[in-house]
Amino acid sequence: ADLRRPSVAKLLDLERPKIGLVEVIMGHAKFEDAIVRSVDENLDVLPIGGMPPNPTEILSSDELADFIAKYREEYSLILFDSCPVLGLADAPTLARLVDGTVFVLEANKVPFSQARNALKRLRSTGGSVLGLILTKYRALEAGHDYNYQYNYYEYGDGNR
């Protein structure tokens, strides 16, 4: 559901289709014509087709809510990939429609205050945050900022 910079099709080595999620939601295409079945064992993918001019309106539409209600009966689990939380209304809008949200955060990329504000935005729309995935974590780089503070308290020769 990243209607601004879709990447799922590319990540799965699928050719980006002409019809996809938006066309199905808006009733311009049938689900059966847009879904890519059996990408992996027990995995179907509905990639983004055309890029809509109004992503937030589509994600806040009754049509998307109806789509989720209809296909939650057919699938045991539906995952939506969304755009970043900060700066856009898309992810918080989607978060209020789904049962739960998993927040994905790249290590050493986003300041703590921005991550905290992003989580607040998700919760403020009624989204239920189930947990967090920390990506690209490298133990050798962890705590780099703390090292600077620690060195400030270092004991040693006062004649520096």
Side-chain angles (χ1 to χ4, degrees):
D2 186 346
L3 304 180
R4 297 173 193 275
R5 294 183 66 194
S7 60
V8 171
K10 184 179 178 183
L11 289 170
L12 295 173
D13 247 359
L14 302 173
E15 186 175 320
R16 189 153 154 222
K18 295 191 186 324
I19 60 169
L21 177 66
V22 174
E23 291 77 16
V24 171
I25 290 171
M26 301 313 293
H28 302 174
K30 292 181 181 178
F31 178 79
E32 295 76 25
D33 296 335
I35 192 79
V36 180
R37 298 216 182 258
S38 302
V39 170
D40 202 355
E41 185 179 342
N42 295 320
L43 176 65
D44 296 343
V45 175
L46 182 57
I48 302 299
M51 300 292 288
N54 53 349
T56 305
E57 289 176 31
I58 290 169
L59 293 174
S60 62
S61 70
D62 291 339
E63 289 82 4
L64 178 59
D66 294 343
F67 172 86
I68 292 170
K70 179 178 180 180
Y71 290 102
R72 88 175 350 131
E73 299 299 319
E74 186 174 328
Y75 288 91
S76 57
L77 180 65
I78 300 174
L79 299 172
F80 286 93
D81 177 44
S82 183
C83 62
V85 177
L86 292 175
L88 300 169
D90 299 9
T93 299
L94 184 60
R96 71 177 174 76
L97 296 175
V98 298
D99 296 333
T101 301
V102 176
F103 188 74
V104 179
L105 180 68
E106 184 177 336
N108 300 321
K109 181 80 170 188
V110 177
F112 177 76
S113 61
Q114 286 182 1
R116 185 179 55 226
N117 287 338
L119 287 168
K120 283 181 185 177
R121 281 193 74 204
L122 290 171
R123 289 185 179 119
S124 72
T125 62
S128 173
V129 179
L130 302 176
L132 180 130
I133 295 174
L134 184 65
T135 66
K136 300 180 184 176
Y137 175 79
R138 289 198 238 161
L140 293 175
E141 293 177 10
H144 179 69
D145 290 338
Y146 179 75
N147 255 350
Y148 174 78
Q149 293 172 359
Y150 179 76
N151 288 340
Y152 177 77
Y153 292 103
E154 187 175 81
Y155 293 103
D157 184 7
N159 297 324
R160 289 190 196 178

